[in-house]
Amino acid sequence: AEKYKAISPAEFFYKYKEIAGFANPARALYQTVRELVENALDATDSHGILPDIKIVIQRADPVQEFYRVTVEDNGIGIPPDIVPNAFGRVLFSSKYVLKQTRGMYGLGVKMAVLYGQMTTGRPIEVITSKREYRRIYFFKIRIDINKNEPIVLERGSWRKQRDWHGTIVSLTIEGDWGKAKARIKEYVNRTAIVTPYANIVMYTPDNEVVFYKRVIDVMPRPPREVKPHPYGVDLEMLKMIMESSKQPTILEALVENFQSVGEVTARDLLTRAGIDPSISPSSLKEDDLLKLVNVMKTYSQYKPPSSSAISPLGTEVIKAGLNRMFEPEFVEAVTRRPSTYEGHPFIVEAGIAYGGKVPLSEPDKPTTLRYANKIPLLYDEGSDVITSVVKEDIAWENYLVSFPAPIVLLVHVCSTKVPFKGVGKESIADVPEVRREIKLAISEVARRLRGYLTAKQKEFEAQRK
Amino acid sequence: AEKYKAISPAEFFYKYKEIAGFANPARALYQTVRELVENALDATDSHGILPDIKIVIQRADPVQEFYRVTVEDNGIGIPPDIVPNAFGRVLFSSKYVLKQTRGMYGLGVKMAVLYGQMTTGRPIEVITSKREYRRIYFFKIRIDINKNEPIVLERGSWRKQRDWHGTIVSLTIEGDWGKAKARIKEYVNRTAIVTPYANIVMYTPDNEVVFYKRVIDVMPRPPREVKPHPYGVDLEMLKMIMESSKQPTILEALVENFQSVGEVTARDLLTRAGIDPSISPSSLKEDDLLKLVNVMKTYSQYKPPSSSAISPLGTEVIKAGLNRMFEPEFVEAVTRRPSTYEGHPFIVEAGIAYGGKVPLSEPDKPTTLRYANKIPLLYDEGSDVITSVVKEDIAWENYLVSFPAPIVLLVHVCSTKVPFKGVGKESIADVPEVRREIKLAISEVARRLRGYLTAKQKEFEAQRK
Ligand SMILES: Nc1ncnc2c1ncn2[C@@H]1O[C@H](COP(=O)(O)OP(=O)(O)OP(=O)(O)O)[C@@H](O)[C@H]1O
Ligand SMILES: Nc1ncnc2c1ncn2[C@@H]1O[C@H](COP(=O)(O)OP(=O)(O)OP(=O)(O)O)[C@@H](O)[C@H]1O
Ligand SMILES: [Mg+2]
Ligand SMILES: [Mg+2]
């Protein structure tokens, strides 16, 4: 007889943890550092706070390969009534809104909690306070996997002694520092390249201290939440909007719930869909909704999607980061204008560093640093659209570059929704609009490199005479 | 202010549907056919029923690219009280047990329902009956995305007029037959290669009929559910077992809940963990559980994991499938002995077909047909361990093969848990134990091909004299 049953999202991701990057102890240690650091940076630079991030990885047991991973930030902190769900409920997040952030799934830190629970049995510890609070709050939390609910094992609070705000997250997991350390150090290094405005210090189990000091005070403008663009609409979204709208008419419901839709545009859309603008939103029938979705998706007279929800690094930040890390003889960066795919605005940025202390590349392609929403992508490069463009769409010889060469290429894709191929966030899918922008961005910085190499060549020949 | 919220698994996979393979209308049409066909085959061949599968894809609208996809099978059917959850609740499945099946996530058909809902608004229709029933049951179902619950829009039943059992699933989605048809046909063709014991007929929107007739009555032995093997244990699993066990002693709880653990072994494990075998399961403390997990994972005297839970194709089925599809001059197949990774038993099988009507391969590698749990894998070959082994670990020239050549290589990995890289089930992760077995299986069939090519060469030279 068949055993039919439902499982919670916590049980699902506990069972299939490899899908979220927790395939083995080495990858789990790497992913845990990632998830905590990405949360810490989201809590700072998305809110105009210059980040101070401390990462501590220590052996937690003399015999077993258990590691205590602690990440501290000076970010916005978390309200105490929110903490249990934030760390103890899978699919709970503050980032389910239309705004560019590193986090998006409501899963990251919970995966680390689950992995700690199943390998060491130890709960996660959280200390947090917001700037306006007088107290600091402390929690020990584990996850009830069956119910997908937090279990608060301990809680406490105390009065602030000094002006502190931020969050300290600590958990103990099985890991493999020997296997993982090169990648973890690479991840922190690559993070520092795109956050030259952050202080990042890491203490390792080998008693090393890795320190990336802040070199600029300029930060990317923080992203602001926006309403969806009509190009991203679908039947279910429109239905949900109309059912929950408190507006008296469908016209006002459209204007309130979509960007780039003012009264004139809304009236135009409704006319084309053959719908009376004055009827109430909840009275729309199935056929009308489908007609309206089709009209909204094919209408060609909207203002383009707002880019206030995306937060590119900017050329100043990219160049500062590449300069600090590689001390190149030549550096350039470009931030493309906003584009969209499926109603989501996105920007592609590229940076190029050449010569100086830039290490020699592979014999067949430039050293390529992939980024998505400011997150360094280190694995699965074979299935990433950036890798594909660099290999197949750029004729490097046209830019006077032959490999190996002392050249580093940085490519950053940022969006309200980066089309990741999996919840482990390691590679970007080959979406045509995005691919096109990546190619244009890389060609742009490659052209500028060519200009430099040509001038350098001329100067060299002039000197010879 | 931050907007903290929880979402249901239905909303999560609706929001991030590209992660499950529903990235665009062409891929969605492909994935919908896949999910329905895989469910139909699971309902037949895992239960000793020779499959009769009918696939119908028709244009559902004169203007819009809407397609009605219907799959009918002669399988075990679904109880009427189960149908709403089976099709309307994400993370509901009969395949969350330790047994090899194509399905595993409890997500597949629900993704298709969600996609139909958001692109056409139409519900899924299900007709089903079990062999022993006198009635046939009918449902029209949509998903309440917010609550992750089914909404039954219509239901009915009627008396059977003839001895029918099985399931008919029909839904209407936006698709792109022009872009998807080559891949859909390839998928059905590749399915037929490993199910030569099935009748599969497909009716396409171009009014074509594709028919793969049953050519053998031999089926792989159906898999049988097993208890977990101690090598796959973790702290959370052991805790859940001990808390829910009705056994009076920890000794009996171990014997009841794990395979390869009889009384002698259980006593040995408990002794090594310093635990009294007569205490009740729920009285174990945290430290004891962790000690016991460590002992169980490192103990070296178990019987190896049972392979009754896995269901390899077998060499007869593989050869019949390759012969029917390619009419080669040479065909061979091998089924390796069971192996394990992380407590999960797995088997790698390989088949090779050469000459005859086998098409010419690429200039650098053999045409490779990847399969996992009898499912053909068509996308993401770049990140699949099989591709990696074929390219990097096999010196084809040692087997007298130089490309291009009229050679097809089939590789099948089957397990109680195939280490897929994503919920879209397109590529297998590089797990060391699995990689090793793939290499050994391919080497084996390549050796036999070499034997044939050597004999053929000798015969050719003998004839020349
Ligand atoms: N260091 C932190 N400072 C402030 N808020 C935090 C911090 N860490 C976690 N949070 C809060 O907890 C929530 C859950 O974090 P989690 O990592 O599970 O999901 P996410 O970051 O939203 O998405 P993703 O799964 O993509 O990481 C976050 O959305 C955020 O609101
Ligand atoms: N044609 C069918 N015949 C019998 N049972 C079916 C059929 N289709 C679906 N089911 C039942 O519905 C359940 C849910 O199907 P669904 O495709 O969502 O998940 P799954 O097949 O278990 O896993 P996966 O997400 O990997 O496909 C199945 O587990 C099975 O019990
Ligand atoms: Mg996160
Ligand atoms: Mg399925």
Side-chain angles (χ1 to χ4, degrees):
Chain A
E2 298 292 280
K3 291 185 181 163
Y4 299 96
K5 76 166 177 168
I7 63 175
S8 77
E11 188 168 350
F12 179 81
F13 284 106
Y14 155 71
K15 220 163 144 39
Y16 299 118
K17 63 189 86 59
E18 64 280 354
I19 284 196
F22 285 76
N24 53 60
R27 280 299 289 264
L29 185 58
Y30 172 86
Q31 199 71 19
T32 295
V33 173
R34 259 195 82 172
E35 297 295 353
L36 267 54
V37 167
E38 288 163 25
N39 284 348
L41 286 168
D42 270 350
T44 47
D45 69 9
S46 298
H47 301 277
I49 298 171
L50 287 168
D52 290 328
I53 310 292
K54 179 164 102 178
I55 305 161
V56 183
I57 307 171
Q58 333 157 274
R59 284 292 298 255
D61 192 275
V63 180
Q64 314 218 52
E65 282 231 53
F66 289 2
Y67 296 88
R68 185 175 175 92
V69 180
T70 307
V71 174
E72 174 173 354
D73 64 66
N74 60 335
I76 56 163
I78 310 162
D81 61 319
I82 293 293
V83 168
N85 279 332
F87 294 93
R89 184 174 170 148
V90 174
L91 305 190
F92 183 92
S93 167
S94 58
K95 302 164 199 170
Y96 288 138
V97 294
L98 221 53
K99 181 172 103 171
Q100 174 190 325
T101 43
R102 294 168 182 81
M104 57 199 282
Y105 295 126
L107 173 67
V109 75
K110 275 79 76 179
M111 288 307 309
V113 177
L114 289 170
Y115 199 80
Q117 234 169 269
M118 63 174 270
T119 56
T120 69
R122 291 178 221 181
I124 189 166
E125 297 173 18
V126 181
I127 294 171
T128 190
S129 187
K130 296 183 72 66
R131 203 194 299 256
E132 62 270 27
Y133 290 175
R134 289 196 213 148
R135 301 184 73 80
I136 296 174
Y137 297 87
F138 162 75
F139 292 83
K140 260 192 193 172
I141 293 164
R142 51 180 289 117
I143 298 176
D144 179 329
I145 292 182
N146 198 275
K147 295 193 189 135
N148 189 28
E149 283 175 5
I151 299 171
V152 177
L153 299 169
E154 262 184 68
R155 76 175 81 209
S157 66
W158 55 89
R159 274 192 80 94
K160 268 181 196 172
Q161 308 273 337
R162 57 185 173 101
D163 225 351
W164 183 78
H165 60 84
T167 304
I168 308 173
V169 177
S170 189
L171 36 72
T172 305
I173 58 164
E174 182 183 14
D176 189 334
W177 175 248
K179 278 212 187 88
K181 76 179 179 189
R183 290 292 195 162
I184 291 176
K185 285 178 167 183
E186 185 184 356
Y187 174 82
V188 178
N189 174 301
R190 298 260 318 258
T191 296
I193 292 176
V194 295
T195 52
Y197 51 83
N199 284 323
I200 302 174
V201 63
M202 174 164 67
Y203 298 85
T204 78
D206 303 329
N207 292 322
E208 276 176 285
V209 182
V210 182
F211 180 39
Y212 297 101
K213 192 172 174 2
R214 174 175 298 133
V215 292
I216 58 169
D217 284 358
V218 167
M219 280 214 290
R221 63 153 200 270
R224 294 209 338 271
E225 182 187 346
V226 295
K227 303 211 194 298
H229 191 276
Y231 280 149
V233 79
D234 65 71
L235 204 51
E236 196 62 38
M237 182 200 293
L238 194 64
K239 204 177 276 191
M240 289 197 233
I241 286 173
M242 293 306 149
E243 280 171 2
S244 60
S245 175
K246 309 242 178 326
Q247 295 292 332
T249 68
I250 169 92
L251 183 88
E252 290 162 276
L254 280 180
V255 172
E256 177 192 50
N257 286 286
F258 289 94
Q259 57 165 294
S260 302
V261 177
E263 217 192 284
V264 172
T265 303
R267 207 171 281 284
D268 194 354
L269 293 170
L270 290 164
T271 305
R272 291 164 187 250
I275 296 169
D276 174 358
S278 63
I279 64 175
S280 87
S282 48
S283 67
L284 272 177
K285 291 190 246 68
E286 277 284 335
D287 293 0
D288 290 331
L289 281 162
L290 188 56
K291 248 196 247 109
L292 184 53
V293 165
N294 286 331
V295 166
M296 289 173 80
K297 284 180 36 178
T298 52
Y299 191 75
S300 55
Q301 297 169 41
Y302 298 116
K303 282 209 313 309
S306 150
S307 61
S308 56
I310 42 184
S311 168
L313 295 163
T315 55
E316 187 172 358
V317 166
I318 294 174
K319 288 194 275 194
L322 288 173
N323 275 326
R324 182 262 293 271
M325 206 57 81
F326 298 108
E327 294 174 48
E329 74 187 60
F330 172 82
V331 75
E332 254 306 350
V334 72
T335 297
R336 298 275 306 163
R337 298 177 64 77
S339 195
T340 57
Y341 83 97
E342 297 169 21
H344 283 282
F346 73 91
I347 282 175
V348 176
E349 309 183 271
I352 206 157
Y354 177 89
K357 296 188 175 165
V358 178
L360 216 57
S361 73
E362 300 276 338
D364 61 336
K365 57 188 191 290
T367 306
T368 305
L369 311 179
R370 300 175 288 132
Y371 292 87
N373 284 3
K374 300 176 188 145
I375 301 169
L377 311 182
L378 269 62
Y379 288 94
D380 290 355
E381 62 173 10
S383 46
D384 193 305
V385 63
I386 294 171
T387 306
S388 175
V389 170
V390 168
K391 239 191 194 164
E392 303 167 20
D393 299 358
I394 309 289
W396 288 97
E397 60 280 10
N398 292 355
Y399 301 103
L400 308 180
V401 179
S402 62
F403 305 109
I407 176 173
V408 152
L409 174 71
L410 183 156
V411 181
H412 178 222
V413 177
C414 60
S415 176
T416 44
K417 183 183 169 189
V418 172
F420 284 115
K421 296 194 75 163
V423 295
K425 292 179 201 159
E426 284 297 353
S427 58
I428 306 169
D430 190 348
V431 172
E433 297 88 328
V434 177
R435 183 181 190 112
R436 178 173 179 276
E437 280 297 309
I438 291 170
K439 178 174 182 195
L440 291 169
I442 296 175
S443 307
E444 178 67 29
V445 290
R447 259 197 300 281
R448 295 185 197 181
L449 175 64
R450 178 176 60 198
Y452 171 78
L453 294 174
T454 310
K456 190 177 171 192
Q457 183 69 13
K458 285 206 173 88
E459 180 173 334
F460 177 66
E461 286 166 3
Q463 288 196 354
R464 280 176 62 193
K465 292 173 179 156
Chain B
E2 297 293 279
K3 289 184 184 165
Y4 298 97
K5 76 164 176 168
I7 63 174
S8 78
E11 187 166 351
F12 179 82
F13 284 106
Y14 154 71
K15 221 165 143 38
Y16 299 119
K17 63 188 87 58
E18 64 280 354
I19 285 195
F22 285 76
N24 53 63
R27 281 298 288 264
L29 185 58
Y30 172 86
Q31 199 71 17
T32 295
V33 172
R34 261 194 81 172
E35 298 295 354
L36 268 53
V37 168
E38 288 163 25
N39 285 347
L41 286 168
D42 271 349
T44 48
D45 71 8
S46 299
H47 302 277
I49 299 172
L50 287 168
D52 291 329
I53 311 291
K54 180 163 102 180
I55 306 161
V56 183
I57 307 170
Q58 330 156 278
R59 284 294 295 255
D61 191 275
V63 180
Q64 314 217 51
E65 283 233 49
F66 289 2
Y67 296 88
R68 186 175 174 92
V69 179
T70 305
V71 173
E72 175 173 353
D73 63 68
N74 59 334
I76 56 164
I78 310 161
D81 60 319
I82 293 292
V83 169
N85 278 331
F87 295 93
R89 184 172 168 149
V90 174
L91 306 189
F92 184 91
S93 169
S94 60
K95 301 164 198 171
Y96 287 137
V97 294
L98 220 55
K99 182 173 101 170
Q100 173 189 325
T101 43
R102 294 167 182 82
M104 57 198 281
Y105 296 126
L107 175 64
V109 75
K110 275 79 77 179
M111 288 307 309
V113 177
L114 288 171
Y115 199 79
Q117 235 169 269
M118 61 176 271
T119 57
T120 69
R122 290 178 221 183
I124 188 166
E125 296 173 21
V126 180
I127 293 171
T128 191
S129 186
K130 294 182 73 64
R131 204 194 298 256
E132 60 272 28
Y133 290 175
R134 288 196 215 149
R135 300 185 74 80
I136 296 174
Y137 297 87
F138 163 74
F139 293 82
K140 258 190 193 172
I141 292 164
R142 49 180 290 116
I143 297 176
D144 178 327
I145 292 182
N146 197 274
K147 296 193 189 135
N148 190 28
E149 282 175 7
I151 300 171
V152 178
L153 298 170
E154 264 185 68
R155 75 175 81 208
S157 67
W158 55 89
R159 277 192 78 94
K160 268 183 199 173
Q161 310 272 336
R162 56 184 173 101
D163 228 350
W164 183 77
H165 61 83
T167 306
I168 307 173
V169 177
S170 190
L171 35 74
T172 305
I173 59 165
E174 182 183 13
D176 189 335
W177 175 249
K179 278 212 185 87
K181 76 178 176 189
R183 290 290 196 162
I184 292 176
K185 287 178 166 184
E186 183 183 357
Y187 174 83
V188 177
N189 175 301
R190 299 258 319 257
T191 296
I193 291 176
V194 294
T195 53
Y197 50 84
N199 283 322
I200 303 174
V201 63
M202 173 164 68
Y203 299 86
T204 78
D206 304 329
N207 290 321
E208 277 176 284
V209 182
V210 182
F211 180 39
Y212 297 102
K213 194 173 173 3
R214 174 175 299 132
V215 292
I216 59 168
D217 284 358
V218 167
M219 280 214 289
R221 66 159 197 265
R224 293 210 338 272
E225 183 186 346
V226 295
K227 303 211 195 300
H229 191 275
Y231 280 150
V233 79
D234 65 70
L235 204 51
E236 196 62 38
M237 182 199 295
L238 194 64
K239 204 178 278 191
M240 290 197 233
I241 286 174
M242 293 306 150
E243 282 171 2
S244 59
S245 175
K246 309 243 177 329
Q247 295 292 332
T249 68
I250 169 90
L251 182 87
E252 289 163 278
L254 280 181
V255 172
E256 177 193 52
N257 285 287
F258 289 95
Q259 58 165 292
S260 304
V261 177
E263 217 190 285
V264 171
T265 304
R267 208 169 280 284
D268 195 354
L269 293 169
L270 289 165
T271 304
R272 290 164 187 249
I275 295 169
D276 175 359
S278 64
I279 63 174
S280 89
S282 46
S283 66
L284 272 176
K285 291 191 245 67
E286 277 285 335
D287 292 0
D288 290 333
L289 282 163
L290 188 55
K291 249 196 247 110
L292 184 54
V293 165
N294 287 334
V295 165
M296 289 173 79
K297 284 179 37 177
T298 53
Y299 191 73
S300 56
Q301 298 169 38
Y302 298 116
K303 279 209 318 305
S306 151
S307 61
S308 57
I310 41 183
S311 167
L313 295 162
T315 54
E316 186 172 0
V317 166
I318 294 174
K319 289 194 276 192
L322 288 173
N323 275 324
R324 181 262 294 273
M325 207 56 81
F326 297 108
E327 292 174 49
E329 77 188 57
F330 172 82
V331 74
E332 255 306 348
V334 72
T335 297
R336 299 274 305 161
R337 298 178 64 76
S339 194
T340 57
Y341 83 96
E342 295 169 22
H344 284 282
F346 73 91
I347 282 175
V348 177
E349 309 184 90
I352 206 157
Y354 178 88
K357 294 188 178 168
V358 177
L360 217 57
S361 72
E362 300 276 340
D364 61 338
K365 57 188 193 291
T367 307
T368 305
L369 311 180
R370 300 175 288 133
Y371 291 88
N373 284 4
K374 301 177 188 141
I375 301 169
L377 311 181
L378 268 61
Y379 287 93
D380 289 354
E381 62 175 9
S383 47
D384 194 304
V385 62
I386 294 172
T387 306
S388 173
V389 170
V390 169
K391 241 192 192 165
E392 303 164 22
D393 299 358
I394 308 289
W396 289 97
E397 60 280 10
N398 293 356
Y399 301 103
L400 308 180
V401 179
S402 61
F403 304 110
I407 176 172
V408 152
L409 174 71
L410 184 156
V411 181
H412 178 221
V413 178
C414 60
S415 176
T416 44
K417 183 184 169 188
V418 171
F420 285 114
K421 295 192 77 164
V423 295
K425 293 181 200 156
E426 284 298 352
S427 58
I428 306 170
D430 191 347
V431 173
E433 296 90 326
V434 177
R435 185 182 188 110
R436 179 173 179 277
E437 281 296 310
I438 291 170
K439 178 175 181 194
L440 291 169
I442 295 175
S443 307
E444 177 68 28
V445 288
R447 260 197 299 280
R448 297 187 198 180
L449 174 65
R450 178 177 60 197
Y452 171 79
L453 294 174
T454 311
K456 190 179 172 190
Q457 182 67 14
K458 286 205 175 87
E459 180 171 332
F460 176 68
E461 287 165 1
Q463 289 198 354
R464 280 176 61 194
K465 293 177 180 145

